[in-house]
Amino acid sequence: MIIAVIGSGYVGLVSGTCFADFGHEVICVDKAEDKIEKLKNGQIPIYEPGLEELVAGNMKAGRLSFTTELSDAVRKANVIFIAVGTPSRRGDGHADLSYVYAAAEEIATSLNGFSVVVTKSTVPVGTGDEVERIIRETNPNADFEVVSNPEFLREGAAINDFKRPDRIVVGLSHERAKSVMTEVYRPLYLNQSPILFTSRRTSELIKYAGNAFLAMKITFINELADLSEAVGADVQDVARGIGLDNRIGSKFLNAGPGYGGSCFPKDTLALVKTAQDHSSPVRLIETTCSVNDQRKRSMSRKVAAAIGGDVRGKKIAMLGLTFKPNTDDMRDSPALSIIQALQDKGADIHAYDPEGMDSAMELLEDVTFGSNAYEIAKGAHALVIVTEWDAFRVLDFSRLKDKMVTPVLVDLRNIYGKDEVVKHGFSYTCIGRPDEEL
Ligand code: UGA
């Protein structure tokens, strides 16, 4: 099978590389010449554990190549994946589909023989129909089918998610495309990963429904964390207690500062817009979006309370800036809202992140960056764990205490138990776990 992947961003690069690793011949295409030049030299533009080695191995084996020439790649390929970005459209929150439609138009003119065009980008219901219309209008003689095949990769665990998926969802309506997609995913099929074949529109909706449900689950436990604090219960035990019920499941029940990233905030908003457009509102998701937005900023109140209520002129050290560990992605990270809210209250922010500092520097103003936890803790009135990087799980509290003005730890990810922190003379604030229980 020869596969062309249009768009070598996060999804395109991971998917293309993994398809090559399955044994297919893959050509990754991107308009950004500098990105393609770097990839040809084995330099990976994103931080994703294991990806660099996998790209190198498959390039060496001759199965993976990179180009800016879309037409050559499409002409050669049996299957063309569209994996370009679908950011939130400015102003209304709808997914911006201009890159998807532009790719469809370009692909159309180079289709050669029977081809399957697959949308892997996250796209609202009905986008496949429009892609089909564009291709047919641009090239009436083309022999093709348009398929929906959403991705369910988590940043930081993307390769494992691709190779050992809970399920593969494929939306199509004809046998010809079905046999091609079965061939594409044959290696996973043999591993017995479930493949759900459904209609294209259903497949498009499954992607949004999945992300919205997970975002809602996190928001549910975050609100239960606040309630736990109010009534003197422990949210981690609540999560365990309900998660052991198989109907609920234990995953995505970690209370924290609110969800961020390039997917949940954007996709929940886009689902709300689609639902409104069809006069079929999804009120639970609407509420999830607004509760999560408020939560991120409200974490600044927790920090203020931990140091006596007023942060003006106080030095606050922030540990972790990315929206989650094992990524350099800062998009919609809770850290951005928390830092902004603390700065609005007059705090002096110092920060460190193992991988996200370059992008953080572009997004944050008036923040002093340090090169490790101990450097930013010097002279600080509070240390705040915003992202649960492994490196922050084994902090040397005696060393930190010597450097800080007041030994205060605010643990927004619940990675410590109170005892192990207070025994070093720290005061400890976390999420949804009452003092007396700890
Ligand atoms: C998410 C989904 O998990 C993937 O299945 C999906 O393919 C992807 O979006 C996408 O649409 O492309 P991702 O955004 O990489 O993946 O990250 P997650 O691991 O889902 O975390 C999202 C946010 O939720 C993070 O800010 C994380 O800290 C937060 N979170 C997650 C919690 O606060 N608590 C939890 O229990 C789990």
Side-chain angles (χ1 to χ4, degrees):
M1 207 48 72
I2 303 181
I3 297 176
V5 181
I6 315 303
S8 300
Y10 192 85
V11 172
L13 188 55
V14 171
S15 309
T17 306
C18 290
F19 282 137
D21 210 48
F22 288 170
H24 299 306
E25 183 182 335
V26 178
I27 311 161
C28 287
V29 183
D30 204 288
K31 280 195 187 321
E33 285 176 17
D34 51 336
K35 187 194 277 183
I36 290 297
E37 216 34 59
K38 282 184 178 158
L39 283 164
K40 280 181 177 169
N41 294 319
Q43 284 170 267
I44 310 296
I46 50 169
Y47 176 78
E48 179 62 36
L51 187 59
E52 196 169 334
E53 297 81 346
L54 211 62
V55 169
N58 283 285
M59 281 175 76
K60 200 161 166 230
R63 289 188 298 262
L64 180 63
S65 59
F66 298 96
T67 181
T68 52
E69 297 299 321
L70 181 140
S71 50
D72 287 352
V74 170
R75 214 165 289 126
K76 277 191 206 155
N78 321 94
V79 189
I80 299 108
F81 279 89
I82 299 178
V84 296
T86 53
S88 269
R89 202 161 65 189
R90 255 173 220 281
D92 65 3
H94 267 296
D96 177 354
L97 297 172
S98 53
Y99 301 109
V100 174
Y101 295 153
E105 211 176 311
E106 252 188 291
I107 288 166
T109 50
S110 302
L111 290 176
N112 180 19
F114 176 63
S115 316
V116 176
V117 179
V118 190
T119 47
K120 204 158 222 352
S121 307
T122 298
V123 293
V125 180
T127 305
D129 301 356
E130 183 61 10
V131 168
E132 185 175 321
R133 196 195 58 76
I134 291 171
I135 297 179
R136 203 166 297 293
E137 193 179 281
T138 316
N139 182 356
N141 297 323
D143 183 17
F144 70 100
E145 269 172 36
V146 175
V147 167
S148 157
N149 173 218
E151 57 87 15
F152 301 105
L153 311 175
R154 284 165 306 160
E155 291 188 17
I159 293 170
N160 188 59
D161 283 354
F162 197 95
K163 291 190 163 184
R164 278 169 279 278
D166 288 342
R167 82 302 204 186
I168 300 149
V169 174
V170 182
L172 42 70
S173 43
H174 297 285
E175 274 305 317
R176 268 205 311 178
K178 187 173 176 182
S179 64
V180 170
M181 292 308 287
T182 305
E183 199 50 40
V184 167
Y185 281 108
R186 179 169 300 284
L188 294 181
Y189 215 51
L190 297 175
N191 284 348
Q192 301 194 320
S193 299
I195 299 198
L196 171 68
F197 286 104
T198 180
S199 75
R200 200 161 61 198
R201 284 182 168 245
T202 308
S203 164
E204 289 168 340
L205 187 56
I206 287 172
K207 169 67 194 188
Y208 283 96
N211 274 0
F213 190 88
L214 292 171
M216 199 170 65
K217 199 172 177 189
I218 296 167
T219 305
F220 174 82
I221 204 66
N222 283 342
E223 289 204 308
L224 263 286
D226 293 349
L227 181 59
S228 296
E229 282 173 22
V231 300
D234 179 334
V235 75
Q236 284 189 311
D237 283 350
V238 173
R240 216 168 292 139
I242 61 173
L244 284 168
D245 183 331
N246 283 334
R247 294 170 300 176
I248 295 173
S250 58
K251 292 182 182 159
F252 277 64
L253 283 178
N254 294 315
Y259 60 79
S262 64
C263 305
F264 288 172
K266 164 175 84 73
D267 294 349
T268 43
L269 212 56
L271 182 61
V272 165
K273 294 293 172 194
T274 302
Q276 285 170 353
D277 286 354
H278 289 81
S279 304
S280 179
V282 282
R283 283 184 291 267
L284 286 175
I285 311 305
E286 286 174 22
T287 305
T288 297
C289 295
S290 64
V291 169
N292 191 65
D293 280 348
Q294 284 161 27
R295 181 171 190 83
K296 293 192 211 174
R297 269 188 81 84
S298 77
M299 288 296 116
S300 67
R301 288 202 289 276
K302 220 177 191 23
V303 177
I307 57 171
D310 189 7
V311 297
R312 187 159 298 280
K314 303 272 172 60
K315 176 175 169 180
I316 312 289
M318 312 292 284
L319 272 186
L321 296 168
T322 51
F323 80 100
K324 66 174 190 176
N326 299 322
T327 176
D328 58 359
D329 201 335
M330 286 291 302
R331 283 176 286 180
D332 273 307
S333 173
L336 296 173
S337 313
I338 301 169
I339 288 174
Q340 185 60 60
L342 286 168
Q343 285 179 329
D344 291 348
K345 292 183 169 95
D348 172 24
I349 304 293
H350 292 238
Y352 166 68
D353 187 279
E355 294 294 337
M357 303 257 270
D358 287 348
S359 25
M361 282 175 196
E362 285 170 22
L363 296 167
L364 291 164
E365 279 174 25
D366 300 324
V367 170
T368 309
F369 294 93
S371 53
N372 59 56
Y374 306 96
E375 191 181 323
I376 61 165
K378 205 163 159 212
H381 295 83
L383 185 65
V384 185
I385 297 174
V386 190
T387 315
E388 69 279 31
W389 286 90
D390 276 349
F392 305 152
R393 291 176 189 270
V394 284
L395 294 172
D396 179 342
F397 287 107
S398 310
R399 199 172 151 203
L400 285 169
K401 187 167 175 251
D402 288 345
K403 293 182 181 294
M404 294 176 70
V405 174
T406 46
V408 172
L409 180 70
V410 182
D411 177 5
L412 299 181
R413 297 287 183 168
N414 286 349
I415 62 176
Y416 285 100
K418 184 174 187 181
D419 291 349
E420 49 184 336
V421 180
V422 295
K423 74 176 180 209
H424 295 286
F426 269 78
S427 86
Y428 180 70
T429 302
C430 57
I431 301 274
R433 293 183 295 166
D435 279 357
E436 65 272 23
E437 296 289 325
L438 291 163

